[in-house]
Amino acid sequence: MKSPPLLISALSATLLLAIANHAQSAPDGADIIRLSPFTVDSSTDVGYKASNSISGTRTNVPIAEVPMNIQVVTSELLDDLAVSTPTEALRYYGSVHNAQSGNTRSDGGIDLDGANALFGAVRLRGLTSSVNLRNGIRVFNQPLADFVDRVELVRGPAAVLYGLSEPTGIYNSIMKAPMFHRNFGRVQAHYGSYNNYGASLDINRVLRSNLAVRLNASASHLDSEFWYAEGRQFALMPQVSWRPWSRTLVQFEYLHSKARRSKQDQRHSYGNTGTSVQTTPNYPVFIPGMDIPLYEDSRYKVDPRYNFAGPDSYREVRERNYSLTLAQEIGEHLSVNLQGSYYIRPHVHNSANIALIQGNSTFWLDQRTPPQQDAFQLRRWEIVDTQKWVETFVATAIYKREYDIPVIGRTTQSLTIGMQGFYDSSSQRQSSDQRDLRARDAQGNVLIAPFIPTGVPSAGNAALLRQNYPSLNGGIFDTRSTRPSPGIWFDYLPINMDTSLLRRGSEVQLSLLPLGTGAFTSLANANRTQNDFTSIWASWSGKFWEDRIILTGGVFKTELDQKTGNTVAELNPFYVKSATLPQYGVVLRPFKNTAADLSFFALYSESLQPNSDLRDAFNKPFEPRFGKGYEFGVKFDALKGRVSGTASFWNIEQTNRVIFDANAPNPNVPTGLGANLARGLNVSEGWEIDMVVSLTERWQTMLSYASMEVYSSNDPNPLLNGAAEIGSYRRGYGGVTSYRFGPGLMSGWGVGLGVNYKSEEIAEAKRANFNGARQRVYPGVWDGNAFISYRHRLLNLPLRWQVNVTNLFEIKRPVGWDPAHRNDLGYAVKPFLYPTERKVTLTTTIQF
């Protein structure tokens, strides 16, 4: 384990400030504990409404005073939805989306609701946002919702404060923290469909008036209707908060987590886009783009829930995060905040991965026509081991003071300056089983099956076929010169098996890749990266005419030093550059403190996001992405706070966006085509409105709507300019409403409903060889969460029971393209749809 020098630096800074602050007396029972300006107090949240945020300025300020579209998922909303991760709650905002299909070639289009939840990537305003923050510090895993106090969503570029971010925005998970004013605890347990169960613990203890500790722990078992979809996760987060003086706060946090989930490889679909042969009697005519689910083929007996990767395939992510925070008020006007974090994340893919035989085919038939119809999937066992180390140090100082200016009168001026050091080091190795496991006779000759069996394979010949068939085994279709001899070795899995007669776990278990096997000699499969990002920023905010005009401006400068190589000793610079990014905005509040408090705002800002984890087909990392955005809108708070929200218009541009292009050169695949590249400019523009309605204390409603256009430009092929971005959609809306019954017959009961909709999603880019018309879409998706709760007291302790019904509309996922539905060019454009199953979860919570 690497030593955490940034934490040592932060500890040294803590000691120096403590010495400088020696004049303050140690607190006793009579001292007043002050709330740090760098801490947001969620206790002021009312239902689904939050008035303050820390993510827009890195300090606790009213949302109405920030020229950004900021929304907050409060702790009450998190509890009502009973989500396990923050991104599950963010789905109810119209411009936030979890891509419904993912990579349809690797998982059949089925979203197993967990494979990518570990990392927290979402689509925000139509473009992927892979950056999420934890207490304002960039991390690579999203936390469990059990550990989160609230989630703050900042839309648009926010480089002045966070530097490394996506132009579409960020979300910041504010973690639970020790509290000084009371002792409390909470135990929660849940059980749901498909043997999903778990428990969590939250305990806060005040040891002295200036010392508090808090412990959060969570463990759960995960599963779904799909075979071999089991997973488990565990997390532990102890924290200590100490106030050696009334104006000083020191907080230490340690987070340890481990999550293992199945590495799904449905292979529900197979295609014949590269050939013109008949593949199934159900669809005898070749249609360009057809992609047939195996369970649609009458020759095979395939359960659509079956996972061809088997029970041993998994992905595992472990995480250790040490963080130290020091908040110090110096006098009445100056406050300083120091944050140090050391983050370690090993990430392992250990899987039987379906191999491609030729072109886009993922299967092989001994005979293309009846009566011989034996079909086999080829699998290769591989391990991808990724290690990531991140050291972060953030220092923020805010100077805030009121001045009297002639004519203007009383003003409030705030100056925020800061620096950030973000040091990211990672390594990745990929290993594939390269052992020659073919059976041989005494003379060393490979034993060849005398014939290829027909029908369901018999035990003996099928075994010989899977082990020894010489034209396929040995990886002869993997022509990369970097692959060492003898090549990648495959095993064979018969497709034609009646999985409905089998119980889960009854198949022969696959063998994991033994220690000492495999190789890491390929340049593309063994690499190291080191990224050093050092940044400084300064921002100013001025309030004038009784806070009715608020002006903001800032600048962010960062130094990027990125290195890459196969080993630490071979690290070479590939991108060294500095960038200066501005931000400025205005807030006008002509109706401040009236029945209809309106804030009009406008903002211009920029962002920078490295592509350090992505490489092109020639093993070269891409240059960073730059974004810039314009946004203007209105914030309103009417009817004494009963109706509040934000409406805004935006235009965002991003250069060096990396996407997959099927026509890009790639010497690493048999076809020679298909690779990631930096395609040029992406544009996202549209408008959205978010509001919270609280007509009574017992009725809470959150509503959201977004309309957007997301497209590409600056492409050398004119047919692709203006094409809608893959994964984008035009409209999205969502809402959550809940009602708590008052005294009477229904006392203690509560009901609620959450619904969201995303319109048709772009599934594929336009292609020049189809006159720019080859673009397919997935249908719109409804999602929902209904809940009912009951609160009472047991042994004088508050007890809550809650039932949540999720996947309310049984989302239909795309699994291939139906040749029976074609466009004018004869291309299959309508997907097969597979409905997923509704889930029910019972949650019990007791407080003490």
Side-chain angles (χ1 to χ4, degrees):
M1 172 179 168
K2 298 171 61 180
S3 63
L6 291 176
L7 284 182
I8 296 175
S9 300
L11 285 169
S12 301
T14 301
L15 180 60
L16 290 174
L17 281 177
I19 295 174
N21 206 28
H22 69 280
Q24 298 185 44
S25 61
D28 54 31
D31 285 334
I32 298 176
I33 299 298
R34 298 167 59 96
L35 181 65
S36 168
F38 302 98
T39 302
V40 64
D41 184 5
S42 63
S43 64
T44 60
D45 297 346
V46 179
Y48 298 163
K49 179 184 176 181
S51 300
N52 283 37
S53 167
I54 199 172
S55 299
T57 62
R58 282 195 180 270
T59 60
N60 184 14
V61 297
I63 294 175
E65 297 181 1
V66 182
M68 295 178 177
N69 189 332
I70 299 176
Q71 304 300 320
V72 176
V73 180
T74 64
S75 58
E76 183 169 324
L77 183 54
L78 288 172
D79 286 342
D80 283 349
L81 295 174
V83 297
S84 59
T85 58
T87 53
E88 294 179 57
L90 293 176
R91 296 174 187 172
Y92 292 90
Y93 291 102
S95 62
V96 185
H97 182 38
N98 298 99
Q100 63 167 299
S101 58
N103 182 350
T104 57
R105 295 307 311 159
S106 66
D107 60 17
I110 298 296
D111 179 5
L112 296 174
D113 195 21
N116 294 314
L118 297 169
F119 311 108
V122 297
R123 288 194 179 276
L124 181 54
R125 289 180 170 176
L127 296 175
T128 299
S129 178
S130 58
V131 174
N132 61 86
L133 304 176
R134 189 180 302 165
N135 289 339
I137 293 179
R138 177 176 175 169
V139 293
F140 295 91
N141 286 7
Q142 66 170 329
L144 295 177
D146 291 333
F147 295 1
V148 174
D149 193 30
R150 52 152 54 182
V151 185
E152 300 183 353
L153 177 66
V154 180
R155 295 182 174 111
V160 170
L161 296 171
Y162 301 106
L164 306 178
S165 62
E166 307 282 357
T168 52
I170 55 95
Y171 68 92
N172 186 13
S173 298
I174 308 300
M175 308 299 285
K176 296 177 179 178
M179 297 183 179
F180 291 98
H181 60 279
R182 66 186 180 95
N183 293 323
F184 61 86
R186 186 179 86 161
V187 176
Q188 182 171 280
H190 70 270
Y191 182 81
S193 305
Y194 298 102
N195 208 27
N196 281 274
Y197 58 86
S200 64
L201 173 69
D202 181 5
I203 298 178
N204 186 90
R205 286 293 178 266
V206 180
L207 303 183
R208 295 179 54 190
S209 62
N210 65 334
L211 181 64
V213 297
R214 190 165 184 172
L215 175 66
N216 276 274
S218 176
S220 57
H221 175 270
L222 311 167
D223 207 346
S224 75
E225 66 264 37
F226 298 99
W227 289 42
Y228 313 130
E230 283 191 284
R232 58 183 182 271
Q233 58 190 24
F234 167 79
L236 181 72
M237 186 177 71
Q239 300 167 297
V240 179
S241 288
W242 176 44
R243 286 190 177 273
W245 300 278
S246 61
R247 295 175 179 267
T248 306
L249 173 65
V250 181
Q251 181 173 308
F252 175 76
E253 175 184 294
Y254 170 67
L255 176 62
H256 176 88
S257 69
K258 179 179 179 180
R260 172 180 287 199
R261 297 183 180 178
S262 59
K263 177 66 167 61
Q264 296 296 326
D265 204 333
Q266 306 303 129
R267 293 295 165 172
H268 282 177
S269 306
Y270 64 82
N272 65 338
T273 53
T275 64
S276 59
V277 298
Q278 175 181 331
T279 58
T280 165
N282 301 47
Y283 305 94
V285 180
F286 168 72
I287 302 298
M290 61 188 291
D291 200 13
I292 314 298
L294 286 172
Y295 55 82
E296 288 282 339
D297 194 325
S298 60
R299 294 176 297 181
Y300 312 120
K301 298 177 181 179
V302 177
D303 190 321
R305 299 168 299 178
Y306 184 76
N307 173 17
F308 284 99
D312 293 329
S313 294
Y314 66 87
R315 65 173 62 183
E316 181 178 280
V317 178
R318 288 169 286 162
E319 178 184 28
R320 284 178 290 163
N321 188 44
Y322 308 83
S323 63
L324 180 67
T325 300
L326 167 67
Q328 175 67 57
E329 294 183 59
I330 304 174
E332 295 297 322
H333 308 293
L334 179 63
S335 299
V336 178
N337 192 65
L338 305 176
Q339 293 174 280
S341 173
Y342 180 60
Y343 177 87
I344 312 168
R345 190 193 73 174
H347 175 206
V348 178
H349 287 253
N350 200 332
S351 62
N353 194 19
I354 303 301
L356 303 181
I357 305 301
Q358 56 184 356
N360 291 325
S361 177
T362 63
F363 67 98
W364 173 76
L365 297 175
D366 61 323
Q367 298 284 340
R368 292 287 185 181
T369 58
Q372 294 180 325
Q373 300 168 3
D374 300 322
F376 297 88
Q377 295 271 9
L378 266 72
R379 296 185 294 189
R380 66 186 182 203
W381 196 269
E382 64 182 22
I383 297 176
V384 179
D385 187 354
T386 304
Q387 305 282 332
K388 187 175 288 290
W389 305 271
V390 181
E391 301 172 6
T392 307
F393 178 70
V394 182
T396 307
I398 178 172
Y399 183 80
K400 185 175 182 179
R401 192 161 187 173
E402 293 185 351
Y403 294 94
D404 288 319
I405 300 178
V407 181
I408 296 177
R410 196 72 168 172
T411 68
T412 301
Q413 307 294 313
S414 300
L415 177 65
T416 302
I417 60 173
M419 68 83 59
Q420 172 179 274
F422 183 88
Y423 309 105
D424 169 14
S425 178
S426 65
S427 69
Q428 178 173 302
R429 300 190 304 167
Q430 178 175 332
S431 171
S432 296
D433 194 344
Q434 297 179 136
R435 300 165 298 156
D436 187 345
L437 299 179
R438 292 176 292 180
R440 299 175 181 271
D441 59 20
Q443 289 73 39
N445 300 315
V446 176
L447 296 175
I448 304 300
F451 64 95
I452 298 174
T454 62
V456 178
S458 61
N461 286 330
L464 284 175
L465 174 65
R466 290 194 295 273
Q467 295 173 10
N468 304 319
Y469 194 68
S471 66
L472 293 176
N473 222 335
I476 62 174
F477 290 98
D478 190 348
T479 59
R480 284 179 282 184
S481 61
T482 53
R483 285 295 189 194
S485 178
I488 307 303
W489 292 84
F490 303 99
D491 73 349
Y492 291 76
L493 175 70
I495 293 176
N496 195 3
M497 55 183 171
D498 191 352
T499 55
S500 64
L501 301 178
L502 300 174
R503 293 179 293 104
R504 298 191 186 200
S506 63
E507 291 92 340
V508 176
Q509 304 288 297
L510 297 174
S511 298
L512 299 180
L513 184 64
L515 294 174
T517 62
F520 303 98
T521 57
S522 170
L523 292 178
N525 296 330
N527 58 70
R528 291 293 297 257
T529 60
Q530 179 176 304
N531 306 307
D532 295 345
F533 309 125
T534 304
S535 312
I536 58 174
W537 70 85
S539 63
W540 163 82
S541 174
K543 300 180 183 181
F544 305 93
W545 285 289
E546 298 182 347
D547 299 349
R548 284 179 166 80
I549 297 179
I550 303 174
L551 302 178
T552 65
V555 65
F556 178 98
K557 183 175 182 179
T558 184
E559 300 284 341
L560 290 81
D561 183 358
Q562 298 180 275
K563 299 177 181 179
T564 185
N566 292 329
T567 65
V568 175
E570 298 174 345
L571 287 176
N572 294 306
F574 79 90
Y575 191 84
V576 179
K577 190 175 181 180
S578 69
T580 302
L581 309 174
Q583 174 176 299
Y584 40 87
V586 59
V587 178
L588 303 178
R589 308 178 68 188
F591 307 106
K592 182 177 179 290
N593 298 326
T594 64
D597 190 349
L598 296 180
S599 299
F600 300 94
F601 70 93
L603 179 75
Y604 172 80
S605 57
E606 297 184 2
S607 68
L608 175 69
Q609 173 63 15
N611 284 317
S612 55
D613 291 335
L614 299 174
R615 295 167 180 252
D616 63 18
F618 303 92
N619 200 40
K620 296 180 180 179
F622 296 104
E623 292 189 354
R625 306 193 298 271
F626 288 89
K628 62 180 180 179
Y630 302 86
E631 185 154 358
F632 59 93
V634 59
K635 302 182 183 185
F636 53 91
D637 195 351
L639 302 178
K640 298 182 179 180
R642 292 186 177 91
V643 179
S644 60
T646 303
S648 65
F649 297 81
W650 78 83
N651 180 278
I652 296 171
E653 295 183 356
Q654 180 178 227
T655 60
N656 291 339
R657 177 72 174 175
V658 177
I659 66 166
F660 179 80
D661 188 337
N663 294 322
N666 187 348
N668 302 310
V669 298
T671 61
L673 295 175
N676 287 331
L677 52 79
R679 192 166 81 177
L681 178 67
N682 293 114
V683 178
S684 171
E685 55 187 14
W687 66 276
E688 60 193 342
I689 181 170
D690 304 279
M691 57 191 302
V692 174
V693 181
S694 305
L695 297 180
T696 70
E697 293 182 358
R698 302 183 181 278
W699 188 12
Q700 298 288 327
T701 301
M702 185 274 286
L703 300 171
S704 179
Y705 176 82
S707 175
M708 68 194 87
E709 296 283 345
V710 185
Y711 55 91
S712 301
S713 185
N714 286 1
D715 196 286
N717 186 336
L719 290 175
L720 301 182
N721 287 322
E725 181 61 48
I726 299 174
S728 66
Y729 58 96
R730 289 179 179 269
R731 293 176 304 279
Y733 43 87
V736 182
T737 186
S738 64
Y739 184 78
R740 323 288 184 197
F741 289 91
L745 181 63
M746 298 294 293
S747 177
W749 289 91
V751 294
L753 176 67
V755 176
N756 64 75
Y757 173 78
K758 303 298 184 294
S759 64
E760 291 182 336
E761 177 187 332
I762 301 300
E764 185 181 50
K766 291 183 178 180
R767 304 292 181 86
N769 57 338
F770 282 86
N771 298 321
R774 184 185 174 190
Q775 187 170 54
R776 301 186 283 186
V777 299
Y778 296 132
V781 174
W782 286 93
D783 193 11
N785 185 334
F787 49 94
I788 182 171
S789 63
Y790 178 64
R791 302 169 187 259
H792 64 105
R793 302 188 74 86
L794 178 65
L795 301 178
N796 206 33
L797 295 176
L799 183 64
R800 179 187 185 189
W801 302 84
Q802 181 167 308
V803 175
N804 285 76
V805 182
T806 56
N807 194 19
L808 197 60
F809 302 102
E810 299 186 315
I811 295 173
K812 294 181 178 180
R813 302 296 189 187
V815 284
W817 299 94
D818 188 348
H821 297 83
R822 292 165 278 176
N823 63 9
D824 294 339
L825 296 175
Y827 194 82
V829 293
K830 185 176 180 179
F832 292 97
L833 296 175
Y834 176 79
T836 55
E837 298 185 18
R838 191 175 293 123
K839 310 292 191 304
V840 179
T841 303
L842 170 65
T843 303
T844 305
T845 305
I846 187 168
Q847 298 179 350
F848 55 90

